[in-house]
């Protein structure tokens, strides 16, 4: 029976990855941060099912507390570590650059150091990001493409990405980078653009909201489904040797297209509901992201299973249900 340690288990990917590993029979340890209100809502169903059997074990920690990271890795002795924890909102990274950078850089390095000092061979997954590419040119990006980060968040990811390679090459660690393009789901944080749109569609449809205010509608993203992408993370750690892989769909769509499909799913014309406001524009925008997942397909046998339209529909359906519940509760 394998043991996995996941940082950032309370996030979107933490939910899908821990669900997958628990279903595969892993013992899963995860870190949660102490906050004044409970922040485990995305994994509550997993907690109810797997915590009583001691298959899911949660620990208070923060990536910035390197002592706690060292102690946990020493205590858990995991076979695999998935480093998903990050201040992952690009726009917020301009407002909180130091926290974002410290978490993304020193946090990842603390884990790599703990693994290097461990007697056990521990496989490591680093959550790298397509944001690292900067998205200035309209080209398909792969593992060899030049990194040109445009935000504090992306710079911190570049640091951790290179450090993961440095530890692989210098100490023969099994450390991998998954360079994941945007991936979404009904568990996506509500301030990322896709979820912000689908939540608004649900609420507008149920009469709980009138307008949706967004920023740059022309930005283009390669959007996939988080459930498909977290499976790729696991596949990377089942290989004989460590490597870096781009995970994407090979299709790109603008924010406006996403909105158009989401509204038209419930028979509404998005143009009647969307307005823009400068406050949602970024100091430095990543205009265009499109990924080439050929290497992952060849070496991992991975390919995306969920289409763009299926993703939009899945998210709208879920947010229609959420809005219906809200309507019943508060009206
Ligand atoms: P998410 O939903 O924002 O989750 C981030 C997780 O990190 C949460 O559990 C959060 O805890 C935790 N966290 C934040 N700061 C921390 C700290 N200092 N110490 C410990 N934990 C901390 O992000 P996601 O979408 O699941 O993404 C997972 C990872 O993949 C992130 O590293 C992200 O940057 C990267 N990534 C995501 C995408 C994407 O499209 N989703 C694409 C490429 C890469 P709280 O719940 O307490 O806030
Ligand atoms: N969040 C947000 N809110 N974005 C908006 C809005 C809005 O109201 N209006 C337009 N956008 C545009 C942003 O300017 C950006 O170009 C695009 O929508 C996507 O924004 P997000 O959904 O916030 O995601 P992101 O692409 O910046 O970052 C996500 O993907 C990265 C991978 O490329 C995050 O998950 C990162 O953690 C991840 O690394």
């Amino acid at each position: 029976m394998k043991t996995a340690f996941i940082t950032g288990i309370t996030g979107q990917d933490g939910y899908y990855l821990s669900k997958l590993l628990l279903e595969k029979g892993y013992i899963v340890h995860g870190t949660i941060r102490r906050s004044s209100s409970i922040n485990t809502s995305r994994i509550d169903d997993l907690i109810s099912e797997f915590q009583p059997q001691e298959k899911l074990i949660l620990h208070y920690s923060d990536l910035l507390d390197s002592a706690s990271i060292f102690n946990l890795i020493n205590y858990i002795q995991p076979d695999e570590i998935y480093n998903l924890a990050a201040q992952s909102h690009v726009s917020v990274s301009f407002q909180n650059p130091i926290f974002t950078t410290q978490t993304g850089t020193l946090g990842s390095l603390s884990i790599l150091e703990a693994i290097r000092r461990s007697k056990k061979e521990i496989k490591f997954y680093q959550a790298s990001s397509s944001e690292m590419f900067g998205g200035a040119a309209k080209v398909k990006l792969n593992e060899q493409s030049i990194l040109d980060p445009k935000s504090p968040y992306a710079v911190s990811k570049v640091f951790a990405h290179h450090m993961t390679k440095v530890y692989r090459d210098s100490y023969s660690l099994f450390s991998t980078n998954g360079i994941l393009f945007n991936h979404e789901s009904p568990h996506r944080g509500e301030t990322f653009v896709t979820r912000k749109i689908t939540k608004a569609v649900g609420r507008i449809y149920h009469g709980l909201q009138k307008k949706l205010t967004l920023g740059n509608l022309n930005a283009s993203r390669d959007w996939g489904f988080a459930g498909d992408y977290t499976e790729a993370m696991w596949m990377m750690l089942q290989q004989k040797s460590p490597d870096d892989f781009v995970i994407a769909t090979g299709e790109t769509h603008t924010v406006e297209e996403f909105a158009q499909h989401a509204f038209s799913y419930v028979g509404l014309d998005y143009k009647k509901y969307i307005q823009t406001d400068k406050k949602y524009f970024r100091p430095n925008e990543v205009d265009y992201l499109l990924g080439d997942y050929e290497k992952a397909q060849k070496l991992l046998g991975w390919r995306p299973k969920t289409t763009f339209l299926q993703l939009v529909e899945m998210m709208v359906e879920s947010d229609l249900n959420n809005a219906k519940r809200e309507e019943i509760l508060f009206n």
Side-chain angles (χ1 to χ4, degrees), residues 8-14 31 33 39 42 61-64 83-88 99 103 127-130 153 157 180-184 188 192:
I9 199 168
T10 55
Q12 171 190 251
D13 291 4
T31 61
R33 294 193 292 173
N39 59 359
R42 280 189 273 202
S61 181
D62 190 301
L63 268 198
L64 297 182
N83 182 30
L84 307 184
Q87 189 303 96
S88 74
F99 172 74
T103 301
S128 282
S129 163
S130 51
Y153 166 79
K157 286 289 181 185
L180 272 50
F181 282 62
N182 298 50
H183 45 280
E184 321 293 311
R188 185 58 145 154
F192 295 97

Side-chain angles (χ1 to χ4, degrees), residues 28-310:
V28 173
H29 291 256
T31 61
I32 56 168
R33 294 193 292 173
R34 195 270 157 183
S35 60
S36 61
S37 52
I38 290 170
N39 59 359
T40 55
S41 60
R42 280 189 273 202
I43 55 166
D44 279 346
D45 58 336
L46 299 177
I47 292 177
S48 322
E49 187 176 350
F50 293 100
Q51 211 174 38
Q53 310 167 37
E54 296 187 3
K55 291 197 166 152
L56 175 61
I57 301 149
L58 300 174
H59 309 268
Y60 280 113
S61 181
D62 190 301
L63 268 198
L64 297 182
D65 188 337
S66 57
S68 117
I69 296 294
F70 260 75
N71 292 339
L72 278 176
I73 293 176
N74 208 15
Y75 165 72
I76 297 166
Q77 294 284 306
D79 299 290
E80 298 169 6
I81 298 181
Y82 297 86
N83 182 30
L84 307 184
Q87 189 303 96
S88 74
H89 202 285
V90 174
S91 190
V92 172
S93 82
F94 288 99
Q95 294 158 45
N96 295 180
I98 295 174
F99 172 74
T100 304
T101 304
Q102 284 175 334
T103 301
T105 58
L106 298 180
S108 309
L109 187 52
S110 297
I111 300 177
L112 285 164
E113 261 302 292
I115 297 176
R116 181 174 78 80
R117 292 189 201 180
S118 164
K119 291 202 176 67
K120 182 166 179 174
E121 272 186 34
I122 301 172
K123 293 182 172 181
F124 175 71
Y125 174 89
Q126 167 60 23
S128 282
S129 163
S130 51
E131 273 291 305
M132 300 189 305
F133 295 122
K138 292 195 168 182
V139 292
K140 254 193 174 181
L141 298 155
N142 65 24
E143 295 78 5
Q144 261 68 53
S145 300
I146 290 168
L147 305 181
D148 182 18
K150 297 243 174 347
S151 64
Y153 166 79
V155 171
S156 79
K157 286 289 181 185
V158 170
F159 174 97
H161 181 82
H162 285 312
M163 216 38 119
T164 298
K165 278 193 194 161
V166 166
Y167 272 61
R168 181 199 307 163
D169 297 338
S170 311
Y171 308 119
S172 302
L173 251 59
F174 192 113
S175 47
T176 64
N177 286 301
I179 310 168
L180 272 50
F181 282 62
N182 298 50
H183 45 280
E184 321 293 311
S185 72
H187 284 273
R188 185 58 145 154
E190 291 173 7
T191 59
F192 295 97
V193 77
T194 55
R195 187 72 203 288
K196 189 169 162 183
I197 293 169
T198 60
K199 186 180 174 195
V201 168
R203 298 187 87 245
I204 288 169
Y205 184 81
H206 282 283
L208 298 165
Q209 182 175 333
K210 288 197 163 31
K211 292 277 178 194
L212 167 63
T213 311
L214 295 173
N216 180 10
L217 300 179
N218 298 321
S220 211
R221 290 291 182 274
D222 181 331
W223 278 297
F225 170 52
D228 294 347
Y229 285 40
T230 46
E231 191 174 12
M233 295 176 184
W234 173 77
M235 287 171 145
M236 287 178 214
L237 295 201
Q238 311 316 308
Q239 300 304 297
K240 287 210 171 75
S241 46
D243 208 337
D244 300 332
F245 294 95
V246 159
I247 299 297
T249 69
E251 253 186 57
T252 191
H253 299 271
T254 61
V255 171
E256 186 165 358
E257 279 178 274
F258 190 101
Q260 182 194 337
H261 287 297
F263 277 90
S264 79
Y265 184 70
V266 293
L268 299 177
D269 176 4
Y270 74 104
K271 286 192 176 140
K272 290 186 183 153
Y273 302 95
I274 289 183
Q275 56 195 21
T276 58
D277 189 314
K278 273 196 184 128
K279 77 176 175 192
Y280 293 115
F281 283 74
R282 293 169 183 187
N284 202 0
E285 176 66 286
V286 169
D287 291 316
Y288 184 92
L289 289 175
L290 174 62
D292 174 357
Y293 65 90
E294 195 186 326
K295 180 175 172 185
Q297 185 164 22
K298 257 192 199 146
L299 300 185
L300 304 178
W302 180 90
R303 61 196 310 279
K305 294 177 192 151
T306 313
T307 66
F308 174 70
L309 283 185
Q310 285 169 339

Side-chain angles (χ1 to χ4, degrees), residues 312-323:
V312 176
E313 290 173 16
M314 176 201 311
M315 292 177 71
V316 174
E317 277 293 345
S318 167
D319 275 324
L320 282 169
N321 284 332
N322 291 334

